[in-house]
Structure formats: structure tokens, C-alpha cells
Amino acid sequence: MQFSYLTPDRSRHERSDIVSKEEVQPLDTSDSDSSHLSYHYTKRTASGVSHRLLVCILVGTNFLLLLSSTALILARNAVKEEHYIEKNRSSYSPVYDRLHVYRSEVRHNFTNYWPDNNPSIFQQMPSPEVDEAWFRASRQHSIALSADEVRRLGYDPATVWPAPKDEFGEGVYYGVIDVFHQIHCLNALRQTAFPQYYGDMREKNKHSPLKWDDHLLHCSYAVLRSLMCHADLEVIVGQKFTGWPGLNMNFASTKQCRNYEEILEWKEANSIIPHETKWTEFPDQPIIEMDPEGVLTPYGNHLGLEDYALSQGIELDIPPELAWQPKKKPEGL
């Protein structure tokens, strides 16, 4: 006897989600593989594009850096070349070894005779502000020269005034950049032209070893010599100005100029100024006097300075080691 309730009823325990082998169909993998390959291809393609873009950016950046570096090198070489050309076309000056000197185009618009048209301060009537500008531009502070530089300038160091060795060391000599001497001379002529403001310059300088008229002749020639040496070939033209009768010259011009302000600032930063500014007839070291050929003093030698010192109440104190220097003989001998 079989007990039906003891026989498992498989139909009741079959899972509804299980299918038979006959019902199982093989998966169609073609779409899945295609999608999978498409994903990887797209990923590789995007990666390749990004890589190529990065390479292009790096190559372009390096190329731009190369161009920039080349341009900087060429510009630097051009600047150096300009400096060397400027140096080679000039007489020897140690300034070229210490300062970059170049020329640049400058447009000068002269205001002529109209003081309300913002003229340069150097074109204005005398005043404290004008005097300060001229004083700064013409101040003849010295720069330091070595013995070798003195020789290259064509002088024997034994004949050149040395700077105090206790302040500046051994073998340092005074030198003045000529442009400041030239502007000093121009300023002397300017001051003489305005006696109502500056007084009688001849009277003020009557005790100078170099008389004022001789000073002006020296200065006139110094300025003329510089102008003739540098002989500007720029051309000015005649025009008719509104409200101005007849022909008038337009003095505006375009010039290739050295940068004077840079030269002035360099000189101010590199001047050697002794702490003791008291006037002395001799330096603190022996010096060989040169014959000034009647130019520096009416006596043709340093003896005129003794008269100058006497007129100014200066007592000359000649160091013992300079006793070989000539002295003015007492009157009557």
C-alpha cells in the first residue's frame, strides 16, 4: 500500500521561474560583444585624441618658447651690438665699461617764444627751480678712475689728481664726464645773460685765478667744439605760424640721442665725493704739475692759486712730502 501523502508532490514544489532545458535558448551575444567593443573603441579613440591634443599643445608650447628665447637672444645681441657700435665710434671712455650706452629716437618739440606753452624748465626765465635744474644737470662730481684707465685716456697717473687714499684707497683718481663740464659752461653763459637776476658775474668772480671773461671764452669754445664735433645733420624747415608775421623756422627735430637722464643718474650713483671738501692747493699725495700754457691761470702755473687762496682767506697748508713743489716768492725778492 502506498500512502499518497508520503509521496512528494514535485509539482507543488517546482519553482515557477525555472524553465526546462528545452526552453532555455542560447544567448545572442552579437549585440553584447558589439556594444562592448564599441565602448572600448570609443574609449581608445578618445584617449588617442586626448594624447594627440596634449602632444600638439606641448609641441606648440615648446615652439613658442623657442621663438621667444630666440627673439630675446636676438634682441639682447642687438642691444649689445648697438652698445659696441656706440663704444667703437667714440673715443675711449671707461663709462662704456660700466654703463650700457645706446641711442634712441627722440622728438624735440621746441616751444620757441611762447612761455605759456609748457616749455622745458631749461628754457624758462631764472628762478630757484630753474637754478636747481641747471645745477643738477651741470654738477661736475667726479667718478673714480684706475691708473690703467688714466693711461688709456692718454695721461700719466703721476700727473692726475688722486682721490684721498684714506677714503677711497690707493690708486684712485678723479675724472669728470665731459658732458657735465659742457653744461656747466653753458650755464655760465646763461647766468651772465641775466645780470638783473644773478648780478655782475665778473665782479663776483674777480678773485678767481681764471678771470670771468677768460672763463666765458673758454666756455664758449668748449660748447662750440662739442657742437661742431657731433655736428647734427637733422634738417629744420621754415613755416608760417598762425599769428606770427612772415617766415619762421620750426626748430622741432627728431634726433638719435643718448639717454642723458640715465647717464646723469648713473653719475650721481657712482660719484666719489670726499668727506673733507675744504679747498686745498695740493692733493694728499705727490703730483707732477703740468704746464697749462697760460690757459688755467694768468701765471701759467699753480702760483696764481696762491693769490686766489689769499683773496679768499684760505691758508695753504702744504704737506711736508710736497715741499718740492714750487712756492710763490715773497715780494721784493
Side-chain angles (χ1 to χ4, degrees), residues 5 18 26 39 81 136 146 228 242 262 269 282-283 288:
Y5 63 87
I18 297 178
Y39 168 76
E81 182 68 20
R136 178 175 181 243
S146 67
M228 294 173 70
T242 302
E262 286 187 3
F282 298 98
I288 298 175

Side-chain angles (χ1 to χ4, degrees), residues 110-150:
F110 282 88
T111 56
N112 287 337
Y113 318 109
W114 295 276
D116 294 332
N117 194 23
N118 297 322
S120 164
I121 193 165
F122 296 106
Q123 197 178 348
Q124 297 179 24
M125 295 294 289
S127 71
E129 294 75 20
V130 170
D131 284 346
E132 176 57 31
W134 277 94
F135 179 68
R136 178 175 181 243
S138 62
R139 191 177 296 158
Q140 298 184 81
H141 284 161
S142 298
I143 61 171
L145 300 176
S146 67
D148 182 61
E149 289 170 335
V150 168

Side-chain angles (χ1 to χ4, degrees), residues 52-86:
R52 286 195 295 272
L53 180 60
L54 179 60
V55 170
C56 290
I57 292 174
L58 290 175
V59 171
T61 302
N62 287 330
F63 182 69
L64 290 176
L65 287 174
L66 177 62
L67 287 180
S68 300
S69 300
T70 303
L72 287 174
I73 292 173
L74 291 176
R76 182 176 299 176
N77 289 339
V79 169
K80 289 182 178 179
E81 182 68 20
E82 183 181 359
H83 174 77
Y84 291 138
I85 291 174
E86 187 69 19

Side-chain angles (χ1 to χ4, degrees), residues 292-309:
E293 300 179 356
V295 174
L296 294 182
T297 76
Y299 298 91
N301 55 44
H302 83 285
L303 301 180
L305 295 180
E306 294 191 23
D307 285 343
Y308 171 73

Side-chain angles (χ1 to χ4, degrees), residues 99-314:
L99 174 67
H100 173 65
V101 181
Y102 60 95
R103 291 177 186 263
S104 58
E105 190 171 276
V106 178
R107 177 70 178 176
H108 295 276
N109 290 314
F110 282 88
T111 56
N112 287 337
Y113 318 109
W114 295 276
D116 294 332
N117 194 23
N118 297 322
S120 164
I121 193 165
F122 296 106
Q123 197 178 348
Q124 297 179 24
M125 295 294 289
S127 71
E129 294 75 20
V130 170
D131 284 346
E132 176 57 31
W134 277 94
F135 179 68
R136 178 175 181 243
S138 62
R139 191 177 296 158
Q140 298 184 81
H141 284 161
S142 298
I143 61 171
L145 300 176
S146 67
D148 182 61
E149 289 170 335
V150 168
R151 293 187 188 95
R152 292 188 65 184
L153 287 168
Y155 298 98
D156 181 350
T159 68
V160 175
W161 196 286
K165 61 182 178 181
D166 59 337
E167 291 188 50
F168 304 105
E170 191 78 33
V172 178
Y173 301 86
Y174 286 128
V176 174
I177 301 175
D178 199 16
V179 65
F180 300 107
H181 163 248
Q182 294 163 8
I183 299 177
H184 153 80
C185 277
L186 187 58
N187 192 33
L189 295 167
R190 181 190 69 90
Q191 290 175 320
T192 306
F194 296 98
Q196 69 278 15
Y197 185 87
Y198 295 105
D200 187 344
M201 299 299 292
R202 293 173 177 82
E203 179 65 23
K204 288 183 176 181
N205 293 273
K206 65 181 180 181
H207 293 301
S208 172
L210 184 62
K211 302 306 179 185
W212 191 250
D213 285 342
D214 293 332
H215 189 182
L216 293 183
L217 291 174
H218 154 80
C219 281
S220 298
Y221 182 62
V223 175
L224 175 64
R225 181 184 61 182
S226 178
L227 293 173
M228 294 173 70
C229 176
H230 295 286
D232 282 346
L233 298 180
E234 291 83 5
V235 177
I236 57 177
V237 298
Q239 293 181 315
K240 175 65 174 70
F241 295 157
T242 302
W244 195 263
L247 170 67
N248 205 302
M249 301 305 296
N250 185 340
F251 295 105
S253 62
T254 300
K255 299 181 181 295
Q256 290 288 332
C257 300
R258 292 171 181 158
N259 192 318
Y260 173 78
E261 189 65 27
E262 286 187 3
I263 297 173
L264 174 60
E265 290 177 356
W266 180 87
K267 187 265 295 184
E268 291 175 335
N270 292 274
S271 295
I272 54 172
I273 305 173
H275 297 305
E276 180 60 59
T277 57
K278 180 181 178 181
W279 185 89
T280 60
E281 186 182 7
F282 298 98
D284 62 353
Q285 305 168 55
I287 186 171
I288 298 175
E289 288 187 287
M290 302 298 292
D291 181 6
E293 300 179 356
V295 174
L296 294 182
T297 76
Y299 298 91
N301 55 44
H302 83 285
L303 301 180
L305 295 180
E306 294 191 23
D307 285 343
Y308 171 73
L310 182 63
S311 71
Q312 301 298 308
I314 299 173

Side-chain angles (χ1 to χ4, degrees), residues 9-46:
D9 186 357
R10 296 183 181 276
S11 62
R12 289 191 305 164
H13 297 283
E14 291 286 347
R15 289 176 53 186
S16 60
D17 59 340
I18 297 178
V19 295
S20 64
K21 291 182 180 181
E22 291 76 10
E23 293 177 324
V24 174
Q25 299 293 328
L27 292 175
D28 186 1
T29 59
S30 60
D31 290 342
S32 176
D33 290 343
S34 175
S35 175
H36 183 69
L37 291 174
S38 176
Y39 168 76
H40 283 284
Y41 176 77
T42 303
K43 185 176 181 181
R44 286 197 301 271
T45 302

